[in-house]
Amino acid sequence: MKMNIKSLYAVCTAALLAGCTNLDVNIESQYTEYPMNDIAVEAKNADVYFQMRDPYGRRIMEALSLSSDEYTAVSYGGGWYDSGCYSHPSLHDFKPEDASIDWMNTVISGVTKANTIIRDLGGEDADPIDIAPARAMRAFFHFFLMECWGDMFILDYLPVSNDEVIRQPRGDVARWIESELLEIIPQLTDEVNDNTYGKPTKWMAEALLVKLYINWAVYTAPSVDQYEASTAVNEKLNDCIKYCDEIISSGKFNLGSMPYAEKFGPDNGSHVEDFIYAMPYDTYTATGMQYGRARTWKKAGDVEKSYYGMKLSNSAGGYITMNPEFSRLFCLEGDVRNNSVIGDTVHVYDPKTYQPTSEIALDANGKPIVLSQTVTLNKPNDPMLDVGDNDKGYSQGWRSVKFFVIDDDFKNGRNQSNDLPIFRYADILLTKAEAILRGGTATNGDTSMSLFNQIREYAQAPLLEADPTLQDLLDERGREFFDENWRRNDMIRFGTFENEYGFHRKDFPTARFEKTCRIFPLHRDVMNLYPHWEQNPGY
């Protein structure tokens, strides 16, 4: 179990305010004076900083990763079907009641909490430095709402009970987020240490701005279905490069000397020099991280030594399988990232280095575990994506071991201690490479090839001898950032989201290919709270 910074978060959490989902807040019912000591302010802010810890640990991953070409969620004789909340994303067939998108309320509640803090610290009369962190988180929440649900409110105040909160065009929300970030960036701390880890800093805000700018043409299209990657013009490419340069030249971050696999292990944290902004987790004091359960071969807990190199105290779910098209990316000679994916004959991993050994992993019958790269359904075109409740079914598809499981961090309800990176320095390098390749002005002697090769050199993969193509960049982003919830975002920008992959096929009866599927339906619970909102087109 990790201590220090995570234990501090647990202490702060004990003093937090209860959050509310409804945006309509009766201001008169709130206290009007707030104790202005550092501990009280930090405790109040912590409630906002870690608002998305629970959905990031599971539901966000299910919605974003399963609707990309990374993964398909299968069921086992109906087990793990759960009314289709996992299979629907894999087929772009979301339903408004799906549990995989039930976290919209959590993000909305974050906006309310941020606005409450800003008001309690003085509102317009507050010291700008005091409220800048809450404003940064408010912008982050708006970004997530706009990214996933399109048109959204712009809420920079606490509405009273009679106010009607109206959704605004996505492009207007993007422009508001831009203006908000540009205003608060000078007011945010530029320190990078244990105390600022997992909190909004200048660099977190600039990384968010980089994400906003590289997707600018997506967000400002007249409607979600009118963005065309082949013809889109991004007017913010040079701005994107500018803020990439600020992060790069700061000297605060680098790819680091730590092996790739260790960045994502259960002991990762503030010492990872690649992490600009991350969500901290701990199996006991900061719970919610459950990536391993979904990705681990279903019978891994039935043996004395799992392929993680130890006995597991809990069973696995194993319903998230890697699509064969995506698994084929992990083929570069010498690429250390290949070891974060298991397939074919599985080997036992060293739980200290997170690297495979020569020992073959065995099942409960003493037979080698062999994972097929392809996934075959028991019945063709089965919308439940049932592969069978047996060893053959469990062994369909390659798996990720990127967020490595150890038993000490798998005992408390399968909650892991692996921190989840949200913004990384490696992403800044590849985003600058992309912005240059798309027509932005190169700076500081960088080229798209030189930036791309920094990643390749670190990964010990073959270097390019010419500028990458856009397909090269998309593939490299897949290798570098898989499991980190950015693939869907990338695919929409690159124009591949409507491609065929996994069971997302034109001949599969419940697979959808409408461009309106680029955003999610408003969840039923949100529609019940705000009945004047119209459901997103296509749902």
Side-chain angles (χ1 to χ4, degrees):
M1 180 176 68
K2 283 186 267 192
M3 299 298 292
N4 57 61
I5 189 67
K6 295 195 175 180
S7 297
L8 176 61
Y9 293 154
V11 172
C12 287
T13 301
L16 301 180
L17 293 174
C20 62
T21 299
N22 198 324
L23 293 171
D24 299 332
V25 177
N26 182 355
I27 292 181
E28 297 303 321
S29 70
Q30 306 290 318
Y31 52 81
T32 56
E33 294 185 6
Y34 189 73
M36 295 299 290
N37 61 75
D38 290 344
I39 295 176
V41 171
E42 178 67 10
K44 193 173 180 72
N45 275 322
D47 195 22
V48 176
Y49 299 159
F50 311 121
Q51 173 71 11
M52 291 175 65
R53 175 178 280 144
D54 184 65
Y56 253 127
R58 179 178 175 182
R59 293 305 191 191
I60 288 176
M61 171 269 293
E62 290 169 348
L64 302 186
S65 291
L66 289 175
S67 58
S68 77
D69 65 353
E70 287 183 343
Y71 297 108
T72 289
V74 297
S75 67
Y76 300 120
W80 286 106
Y81 178 63
D82 290 9
S83 302
C85 74
Y86 312 120
S87 61
H88 291 161
S90 299
L91 300 169
H92 294 187
D93 190 29
F94 279 100
K95 310 298 183 186
E97 63 274 10
D98 282 346
S100 52
I101 54 169
D102 69 0
W103 44 276
M104 185 180 185
N105 274 340
T106 302
V107 191
I108 292 174
S109 179
V111 174
T112 300
K113 290 180 180 181
N115 281 327
T116 302
I117 288 174
I118 292 167
R119 184 206 61 193
D120 291 347
L121 293 178
E124 294 181 358
D125 297 326
D127 185 330
I129 293 176
D130 288 342
I131 61 174
R135 291 178 67 185
M137 294 307 302
R138 184 176 64 186
F140 181 69
F141 297 143
H142 276 81
F143 173 86
F144 235 101
L145 290 166
M146 172 201 69
E147 160 73 18
C148 295
W149 285 279
D151 294 351
M152 191 46 56
F153 54 66
I154 299 174
L155 204 66
D156 56 358
Y157 65 98
L158 277 171
V160 297
S161 57
N162 293 327
D163 285 350
E164 189 172 272
V165 178
I166 304 298
R167 295 170 73 192
Q168 304 293 328
R170 197 185 202 187
D172 290 348
V173 181
R175 283 181 277 270
W176 176 82
I177 294 170
E178 177 193 27
S179 65
E180 187 77 353
L181 292 173
L182 290 174
E183 183 174 329
I184 65 174
I185 280 172
Q187 300 157 2
L188 290 164
T189 181
D190 63 358
E191 293 296 316
V192 178
N193 51 44
D194 282 356
N195 189 52
T196 62
Y197 183 69
K199 303 175 185 178
T201 64
K202 172 182 177 179
W203 316 113
M204 172 270 200
E206 290 193 345
L208 178 57
L209 198 55
V210 166
K211 283 290 183 187
L212 187 73
Y213 283 152
I214 198 62
N215 290 286
W216 193 257
V218 176
Y219 299 144
T220 59
S223 63
V224 66
D225 58 334
Q226 292 188 51
Y227 170 77
E228 296 293 342
S230 60
T231 57
V233 176
N234 187 340
E235 65 188 61
K236 295 290 187 178
L237 291 175
N238 286 338
D239 293 306
C240 182
I241 290 169
K242 172 185 175 181
Y243 285 97
C244 287
D245 282 344
E246 288 213 5
I247 294 171
I248 293 168
S249 64
S250 73
K252 303 281 187 178
F253 311 96
N254 57 71
L255 296 175
S257 58
M258 178 182 294
Y260 182 83
E262 292 185 19
K263 291 182 181 181
F264 312 99
D267 289 323
N268 65 352
S270 59
H271 58 284
V272 182
E273 297 164 307
D274 187 21
F275 288 6
I276 297 173
Y277 179 57
M279 185 63 68
Y281 288 94
D282 182 89
T283 190
Y284 296 110
T285 63
T287 59
M289 173 58 162
Q290 296 191 346
Y291 280 33
R293 181 188 188 190
R295 290 164 170 76
T296 298
W297 185 66
K298 196 173 189 303
K299 307 297 283 186
D302 292 356
V303 293
E304 286 304 311
K305 181 187 281 188
S306 70
Y307 57 75
Y308 294 113
M310 64 189 71
K311 171 69 177 175
L312 296 180
S313 296
N314 258 309
S315 62
Y319 57 93
I320 292 185
T321 64
M322 189 169 282
N323 285 324
E325 297 87 352
F326 191 77
S327 66
R328 294 187 188 112
L329 292 177
F330 298 90
C331 63
L332 299 179
E333 183 178 357
D335 192 336
V336 297
R337 298 168 297 192
N338 296 343
N339 291 330
S340 294
V341 176
I342 58 172
D344 296 329
T345 300
V346 178
H347 287 249
V348 174
Y349 276 65
D350 184 326
K352 295 182 179 179
T353 65
Y354 319 126
Q355 295 298 309
T357 67
S358 60
E359 182 181 357
I360 293 176
L362 304 177
D363 64 17
N365 297 315
K367 296 180 179 179
I369 300 171
V370 180
L371 304 181
S372 64
Q373 191 169 35
T374 58
V375 181
T376 305
L377 302 181
N378 267 358
K379 298 178 181 179
N381 297 332
D382 179 5
M384 295 178 68
L385 305 184
D386 183 14
V387 294
D389 191 12
N390 50 46
D391 285 350
K392 180 181 178 182
Y394 307 149
S395 299
Q396 303 271 356
W398 288 13
R399 309 299 172 106
S400 168
V401 292
K402 182 169 176 175
F403 288 100
F404 200 87
V405 170
I406 62 172
D407 189 47
D408 285 348
D409 285 348
F410 210 53
K411 292 178 179 177
N412 183 31
R414 304 178 187 84
N415 286 290
Q416 298 172 246
S417 289
N418 315 63
D419 293 353
L420 177 68
I422 298 171
F423 301 133
R424 289 208 281 132
Y425 181 77
D427 201 346
I428 298 301
L429 295 179
L430 284 182
T431 301
K432 182 178 179 182
E434 181 183 338
I436 293 173
L437 194 62
R438 291 185 182 277
T441 302
T443 58
N444 301 331
D446 291 330
T447 65
S448 57
M449 183 181 74
S450 69
L451 292 159
F452 187 100
N453 277 340
Q454 287 187 54
I455 304 297
R456 282 288 182 90
E457 184 176 14
Y458 172 81
Q460 301 176 34
L463 302 182
L464 295 188
E465 297 181 355
D467 282 342
T469 64
L470 286 175
Q471 187 63 52
D472 289 334
L473 275 167
L474 179 61
D475 289 349
E476 196 67 15
R477 291 187 63 82
R479 297 183 188 99
E480 183 65 25
F481 305 116
F482 76 103
D483 282 5
E484 297 179 45
N485 303 309
W486 288 115
R487 184 65 173 178
R488 175 189 174 96
N489 175 284
D490 290 343
M491 293 179 71
I492 293 170
R493 181 172 72 257
F494 280 82
T496 63
F497 187 65
E498 286 81 33
N499 287 4
E500 294 184 288
Y501 38 83
F503 294 106
H504 185 246
R505 302 281 171 190
K506 296 288 180 65
D507 59 356
F508 198 91
T510 57
R512 296 187 57 185
F513 290 84
E514 299 94 329
K515 294 176 182 178
T516 51
C517 295
R518 294 171 178 175
I519 55 175
F520 304 143
L522 300 175
H523 193 267
R524 177 187 57 195
D525 294 344
V526 172
M527 292 296 290
N528 289 338
L529 282 170
Y530 309 111
H532 60 283
W533 287 6
E534 292 185 6
Q535 182 57 271
N536 281 334
Y539 294 106

